[in-house]
Structures are given as C-alpha cells and as structure tokens.
Amino acid sequence: MTYRYGQYRGGADPLASPYDARAALDELGDAVLAGSDPAAALRDLIRRGMQGQRGLDDMLRRVRERQRDVRNRGRLDGILEQARALLDTAIGQERAELFPDPGDDARMREAELDSLPSDTAQAIRRLADYDWRSAAARETFEQLKDLLRRQVLDSQFRGMKDALESPDPEAMQRVKDMLADLNQMLEADARGEHTQEDFDAFMDSYGDMFPDRPANLEELVDSLVRRAMAAQRLMASLSPEQRDELAGLMQQTLADAGLAAEMARLADALRARRPELDADGGPGETMTGNSPLDLGDATTALADLADLAELETALRQDYPGARLDDIDEAAVRRALGRAAVDDMEALRQTERELERQGYLQRSAGKLELTPKAVRRLGETALRRVFAELPEGGYGDHEQRDAGQAGEYTGATRSWQFGDEQAIDAPATVRNALLRDATAFGGRAGAAGQDRRHWEGDPPRVRLSAEDFEVGETERRASAAVCLLVDLSYSMAIRGTWGVAKQTALALHALVRSRFPQDSIQVIGFSNYARELRETDLAGLGWDMVQGTNLHHALVLAGRYLDRRPEQDPVVLIVTDGEPTAHLRRDGQSWFDWPPAPETLELTLAEVDKMTRRRASLNIFMLVDDERLSAFVDEVARRNGGRVLRAQPERLGEYVVKDFLRARRVSKR
C-alpha cells in the first residue's frame, strides 16, 4: 500500500496534548480571589478568553465589524436600477430605428412606446408581445429578461445566477426539472416516504445548484427558508413604490419563464414546514453602500445580516438561561471562519473540563468550586504572598523538594507512602547492598569483601521500594490558628474584601502545606459571626448588613481554642472598623452606632478571656480611623498583642509574616 501525507485541515490539532484545566482555573481564580463568585468569574473568563484563545467579546467585536462590512456592500434597489437602465436602452434603440421611417406604422409604434407606464414591471409586461423593429433593441430586451430570470432565481436559490450563465439552451429546462423533483421530494417527505437515498440521488443530479452542499433534506430546507426570509426582509427594506415594482418584476419574470406554478408549490411546501415564513419578514435593513446590488447579492447580504444579528444575540449571552450551546456553530463558521469555531469549542471545553477534572461542581443549580480547586487557589494566593516577601528575611520560600517537619535528628526510618522528608541516600544504598549480595556482578560475596575485587566495572545497585529510608526530624510544636475576618458591608465599599479573601486562602494553604500539625479556623463576622470552611471562602461574598460583631467572633474563637489546649493559640483579626454589634443573652445581635457601651464592654471581656488563654491578639487595621485606633490600642494594652496598620494590597504579606513570626516564637 502507498500513503500520501499532507497538511491536516480537518479542525483542531488531533495530536494536541490533553486539555489542561489548571491554566483555566488559575485565570478563573484571579477573579475569585478578587472577590467574585465562581459563576460570575467563569462568565468573565469566557467573555475575555484566555492566553492564545479568543473570548466571546472578541468574537462579538468581529461580528459587529462584519455587520458594518455587509451594510457597506451597496444599495438594495440595484435590480430596479439595472432593469430600468436596460429597458430605457432597448426603448432608445427602438426609437432610433423608427425615427427615419416616415410611415404611419412607425408613428404608431412610437405612440405605443410613449404610452408605456413608468412602472418597470408593467412596462416589461406590455412589451412582452411587442414586435421589435430594431435587432439591437430586441437583443437588449432579451438581455433584460435573462438578467431578471437569473437574478430572481438567485434570490430564491443561492448560486442559481451562475448556473444559468451557461450558454446551454437546456439550462432553464434543467431548472424546471430541479424544481419539480424538489417539490416531489418535499411532498414525499410530508407523507413519510422520503429516504436519504432519495436526497443523495437529487444532489447527484442538481448538486451544482446548491453551493452550500446540504447533507440532508432538513439542511436544504434550512437554506431555502433562510433565503426566503431574507427575500421578505428585502421587500420590507424598500419603499412601498419600490416594493410594488420589484414584486411585479419577479412575478412577471417567473411567469415568463414558466416557473410560477412550481415556485408557488415550493413556497406552500416551505410554509407548511416552517410557519415562520407566514410572518411579514420583520423590520427592514438599512444599507449604507453606494453601489447597486444584484437581487441575489442583495438577498445574500440580508441573509448574512440576519445570521449576524442572531449570532450577536447569542454571543452577548445577556438573556436568562444563556448557554454556550445556544451559539450555532454553523453561523460562527459562516461569519468568522473555521478558527473561530475552534475557539468556541475551546470555550465550551473550558467549562466542561473544569467540571470533568474536578475543579467545578453544580449543587442545586449553583456553580461551586470543589475542595480541589480551592486548595489550588490557596496555593496561588500563597505563592503571590511569598513573592512579595523580602528574600532571605524569613527563611520560608517555595521549595518543592523539602520536607515539612523540623530539624533532622540524625536517625532514619523506612520510607512510607506519603512521606515528604528527604531520602537518606547512604542508608538506602546500604539496605540495597545488604539485601542483594549479587549487586557487585558476582565479584563480591558480601559487603565486607576486599575492595580489590571492586576494581574494573562499577558495581550495579538494584533498588527496591523497601530499601528507601528517610531522615527523621524533630517534631515541631503545633498551633491552633484563628483568623477573624470582617465581612461587613464597609469592607465591600472600601474595596478590601477581595484581599481579605485572598489572605484567608493563603493562610489556609500555608498551614496545610508547611505546618500540617497545626489546625486553623476562619471566622467571618458582620452582625453575627460564623465559621467558614475552606471551600466556603472562594465563593464567599460580603454581608450587606449593619454591624461589626467582633464579640461573637471572639466567643467562637475561644471555643475553638478551648478544645485544643495542647496547641499554642494564634489569633489574627482583620477589620476596617470598631465593634458596633454584640450578642445578647437571648442569642440575638444588637447593633448601635456609635457603639453602645455594652458592646465595647462585652468585646473587651472576650479580649481578657483570650489573654488568660495566653492567646495574643494581633489586629490588622485596614483603614486609619480614630475610633478604631483607640479601640485596638486598648486591646493591645490589655492583651499584649500587636496592632498593624496594613495597606490593603499588602494584607496577605502582613498576615503571613506575622504568622511565621509567631510560629518561630512558639518553636523556641
């Protein structure tokens, strides 16, 4: 067998590597970490696209450019102008022939020409039986009728104009045969007798008349209906006088060609299948070009504009229940080309693969990030925080091949699945040598054999899983970390909620990856306080309520620390305002502004309890407010913790640095 190779043109690269949803998640995460919810972030990602891939906004821009280009093609009344010009030419040629003749017949003919109506269609109808004296006028009039036949049919069947340009006198008869066979096929389909073989035979005979090459009868009907509706819009775009004139021209042309009955039969069949053809065609279009358009070209332009309008609506995705599946792939290909189809498929694949690879899930119709996705977002936030830290100042930087525990003790133990401590190479090789005395190629029977036998080829050591050993490290003291994050509406107004969310995720990732022996609790507080799981943080928004209930947050944090007395307490508070709410004895929240004395008393009482637990409260102030400063200074005086006036954009750096400082203190 012989083979021929060429450039692949069937679509996307078949040898492309599997879709990597992590890159899409990273871009999606930028919006989530900035405070957006996952569904809105995914919509924004699909709108703007990703690196090397166009999004819906770019496609929408190109569709609007195409609309402008189509409108600039020319005027819709071009066929009337062309027909009138040829008719006037024929009449002028006939008058030139009659003028030298002094006879009465010539004067009668001139009178008949003078009485022709101004309407082009009626004038052509009157001249249908006229016996032309001038051979040139007769030829021009035949050119006019041929032009009208080709253009009227081209307005119904795209490409028919080219098919009728053939000098073959049987071309029109072939068109009549095609219409008859098409009508028979549609009627057979209505009776349930049509088969794909019938359609294939029809296309074998008349496929050259359908340049879009439909694959089945339904696609052919789609094409014909699209063309018919464009013709209706063409009529609606003309003035009433122009509309009447063009309708008369088309009717006269079809009647002269013997096609009126078959075309009426086809129109009835199409309306039976697609009732929308009974509508008035909708509003007309305004064309801005100056050149006159053929009737077929004008119909094509309006069909293209209709497609582009539908595609524009689908690409905007601004209607209820909008989905990417609503966007017609065939319309995208016609309007923007094959590359845009590939981009659209990549956008669909983004959402599909994010779900398939376990980063997104739907719960009760709501799009949510999975724990797997949240962990990656936390790691991204942590990498950004460490990128902002001064080099060498804190002893913590990203090093993927290091373990997680403390200083090495010098002892080793067998490797177990999941261990992240460094492999002890000498102990591992020693185990292999002791296990397999034949590791030296048979020249040494045991590890203590004379080294003279080792000369020559180097010994080959065969390692197995049970040979590996890791270095043991001393256990670090564990900590119970409480991060209290203000969720009040003021955080959204001041634009600080997004960085607070990033900070919480980064701290989660830091504790999980660097200090697995630690435990962490994130508490959000507004009018009430509540514990936030890691998966809650990514899709979390601020609370549009009044109240900064730090009292309730400290109560929850105290309960968390009391359940872990063996761990060192670490409490971090992020807020942009003084306490304005507290929890009453009946469990209800009480809000007041300025803060009620009871609010401050209860909050400071919880501060004192934290002090007795040996928990230092480190407060990160996001705004420079006099009342807030007075409150946090009092907390620092009572508790001994620190007050940090953090710039919002550097909050993550401040919190992580403070946590690392606390962990080093606890280790000592």
Side-chain angles (χ1 to χ4, degrees):
M1 298 180 63
T2 59
Y3 299 91
R4 297 183 64 185
Y5 297 90
Q7 183 178 0
Y8 179 73
R9 300 182 182 276
D13 184 0
L15 302 179
S17 58
Y19 188 83
D20 185 6
R22 293 175 299 177
L25 179 66
D26 287 342
E27 297 209 26
L28 179 75
D30 289 339
V32 172
L33 294 178
S36 180
D37 65 87
L42 180 60
R43 286 196 302 270
D44 291 342
L45 175 62
I46 289 174
R47 296 220 65 85
R48 69 175 185 271
M50 294 168 48
Q51 186 175 3
Q53 170 192 313
R54 288 184 286 258
L56 294 184
D57 285 344
D58 183 78
M59 295 184 192
L60 191 59
R61 175 188 58 78
R62 294 167 62 201
V63 163
R64 288 167 177 163
E65 289 176 353
R66 277 291 314 271
Q67 287 175 321
R68 288 194 296 271
D69 293 342
V70 172
R71 287 195 173 93
N72 286 330
R73 287 180 186 173
R75 302 195 317 271
L76 296 177
D77 59 351
I79 178 60
L80 299 177
E81 181 178 310
Q82 295 176 54
R84 190 75 227 185
L86 283 173
L87 181 61
D88 290 343
T89 300
I91 293 174
Q93 290 170 332
E94 180 70 3
R95 288 183 185 277
E97 184 72 21
L98 296 173
F99 181 75
D101 186 351
D104 292 339
D105 181 65
R107 301 292 81 77
M108 290 289 293
R109 288 175 177 272
E110 288 177 341
E112 184 177 355
L113 295 177
D114 291 339
S115 66
L116 288 174
S118 59
D119 183 275
T120 306
Q122 295 181 28
I124 293 174
R125 189 179 301 115
R126 287 267 299 272
L127 292 172
D129 298 325
Y130 180 80
D131 184 17
W132 298 89
R133 281 268 202 99
S134 169
R138 182 182 297 108
E139 183 178 354
T140 301
F141 191 70
E142 289 299 324
Q143 290 177 3
L144 171 59
K145 291 195 293 183
D146 181 63
L147 170 72
L148 291 174
R149 278 195 299 270
R150 289 188 290 111
Q151 293 209 24
V152 168
L153 286 173
D154 196 53
S155 69
Q156 304 294 321
F157 301 91
R158 184 175 185 176
M160 189 63 69
K161 178 176 61 177
D162 297 332
L164 291 177
E165 285 181 349
S166 169
D168 185 359
E170 300 297 323
M172 183 55 65
Q173 183 58 47
R174 186 163 176 262
V175 172
K176 294 178 182 179
D177 294 341
M178 181 274 293
L179 279 172
D181 290 349
L182 174 58
N183 284 322
Q184 290 177 7
M185 187 166 57
L186 289 172
E187 291 168 358
D189 185 64
R191 297 191 302 268
E193 300 172 359
H194 172 72
T195 65
Q196 182 63 32
E197 289 75 14
D198 296 335
F199 180 82
D200 293 339
F202 175 84
M203 291 301 292
D204 287 342
S205 299
Y206 309 110
D208 58 307
M209 297 184 181
F210 302 94
D212 47 354
R213 303 298 298 178
N216 50 53
L217 181 58
E218 198 62 28
E219 289 188 10
L220 176 57
V221 169
D222 286 341
S223 177
L224 295 175
V225 168
R226 175 173 174 265
R227 198 77 176 168
M229 295 185 72
Q232 290 180 344
R233 281 189 292 274
L234 172 60
M235 289 297 191
S237 303
L238 300 174
S239 67
E241 296 78 11
Q242 291 174 329
R243 189 181 309 133
D244 292 341
E245 186 175 0
L246 180 57
L249 270 178
M250 295 176 69
Q251 183 178 3
Q252 178 67 30
T253 300
L254 292 175
D256 290 345
L259 299 174
E262 290 294 348
M263 289 298 295
R265 184 180 166 196
L266 175 61
D268 291 341
L270 292 178
R271 277 195 295 270
R273 298 175 71 103
R274 302 293 173 84
E276 61 265 28
L277 276 177
D278 287 329
D280 59 2
E285 292 282 357
T286 300
M287 302 292 284
T288 57
N290 295 320
S291 302
L293 288 174
D294 290 346
L295 183 57
D297 293 339
T299 306
T300 299
L302 292 183
D304 291 344
L305 285 176
D307 275 357
L308 291 169
E310 292 180 6
L311 184 57
E312 180 185 15
T313 300
L315 289 173
R316 284 203 307 266
Q317 296 278 291
D318 56 358
Y319 51 90
R323 301 182 58 193
L324 287 179
D325 291 339
D326 299 341
I327 302 173
D328 184 13
E329 180 178 307
V332 173
R333 181 183 290 106
R334 285 195 300 267
L336 305 178
R338 175 63 205 222
V341 174
D342 294 339
D343 288 334
M344 181 59 61
E345 177 56 28
L347 292 176
R348 291 193 181 104
Q349 192 178 23
T350 296
E351 182 174 355
R352 187 167 58 242
E353 287 297 316
L354 283 171
E355 293 192 46
R356 191 186 69 81
Q357 296 187 27
Y359 292 112
L360 290 177
Q361 63 184 5
R362 296 186 183 274
S363 177
K366 181 180 179 182
L367 196 65
E368 296 178 348
L369 294 175
T370 64
K372 177 181 178 181
V374 174
R375 285 194 298 270
R376 182 169 179 86
L377 294 186
E379 292 164 359
T380 300
L382 185 60
R383 285 196 300 271
R384 292 176 179 175
V385 168
F386 275 114
E388 296 170 354
L389 293 178
E391 292 188 19
Y394 297 93
D396 282 271
H397 54 279
E398 188 169 24
Q399 186 175 339
R400 300 181 182 275
D401 56 353
Q404 298 181 14
E407 301 294 336
Y408 286 100
T409 64
T412 63
R413 61 175 174 80
S414 298
W415 173 85
Q416 298 178 357
F417 181 77
D419 281 339
E420 294 192 4
Q421 285 81 358
I423 298 294
D424 189 300
T428 300
V429 174
R430 182 176 63 251
N431 289 341
L433 294 176
L434 293 174
R435 178 184 52 78
D436 187 2
T438 64
F440 299 108
R443 281 184 275 175
Q449 187 69 29
D450 194 316
R451 293 188 181 181
R452 288 175 299 177
H453 295 283
W454 297 1
E455 296 175 356
D457 295 336
R460 288 185 288 179
V461 180
R462 298 179 177 86
L463 297 177
S464 64
E466 61 267 22
D467 295 330
F468 286 93
E469 295 213 5
V470 296
E472 285 197 330
T473 56
E474 61 185 19
R475 183 173 181 80
R476 284 177 173 172
S478 62
V481 185
C482 292
L483 176 63
L484 283 52
V485 181
D486 193 343
L487 302 184
S488 62
Y489 189 48
S490 61
M491 293 281 285
I493 294 175
R494 295 187 173 108
T496 55
W497 167 231
V499 294
K501 179 192 290 191
Q502 294 184 49
T503 299
L505 286 170
L507 191 59
H508 253 293
L510 178 62
V511 171
R512 182 182 60 251
S513 61
R514 308 290 179 91
F515 303 96
Q517 69 274 22
D518 290 357
S519 58
I520 183 171
Q521 180 191 51
V522 177
I523 298 173
F525 61 95
S526 53
N527 59 339
Y528 290 94
R530 64 185 185 275
E531 181 179 359
L532 302 174
R533 297 172 302 170
E534 186 179 20
T535 50
D536 297 332
L537 285 170
L540 186 66
W542 55 82
D543 294 337
M544 297 184 63
V545 295
Q546 291 180 316
T548 303
N549 199 338
L550 181 59
H551 166 243
H552 192 193
L554 289 171
V555 170
L556 296 183
R559 293 174 185 170
Y560 182 81
L561 297 178
D562 289 342
R563 293 195 299 268
R564 295 163 177 78
E566 74 285 355
Q567 293 182 308
D568 296 331
V570 177
V571 181
L572 310 171
I573 303 172
V574 177
T575 185
D576 69 344
E578 62 180 317
T580 57
H582 66 271
L583 206 62
R584 300 191 308 187
R585 291 182 180 275
D586 60 1
Q588 298 298 312
S589 174
W590 176 268
F591 167 78
D592 200 2
W593 173 259
E598 186 179 2
T599 297
L600 297 177
E601 290 173 3
L602 290 174
T603 304
L604 290 174
E606 289 301 321
V607 170
D608 293 339
K609 290 180 183 179
M610 286 292 182
T611 304
R612 290 193 291 272
R613 294 186 182 100
R614 298 178 293 103
S616 295
L617 303 180
N618 292 342
I619 303 178
F620 300 87
M621 293 173 50
L622 298 181
V623 295
D624 190 8
D625 179 78
E626 183 178 351
R627 298 180 66 94
L628 176 59
S629 297
F631 171 75
V632 298
D633 288 342
E634 177 62 18
V635 171
R637 187 187 67 79
R638 288 171 175 254
N639 176 263
R642 299 195 305 156
V643 176
L644 298 96
R645 290 168 172 79
Q647 298 173 354
E649 62 273 13
R650 300 186 63 187
L651 177 63
E653 175 188 346
Y654 280 48
V655 170
V656 169
K657 283 167 56 176
D658 193 73
F659 171 73
L660 294 175
R661 182 196 62 81
R663 294 301 290 115
R664 286 195 299 274
V665 171
S666 67
K667 180 180 176 180
R668 289 197 294 268

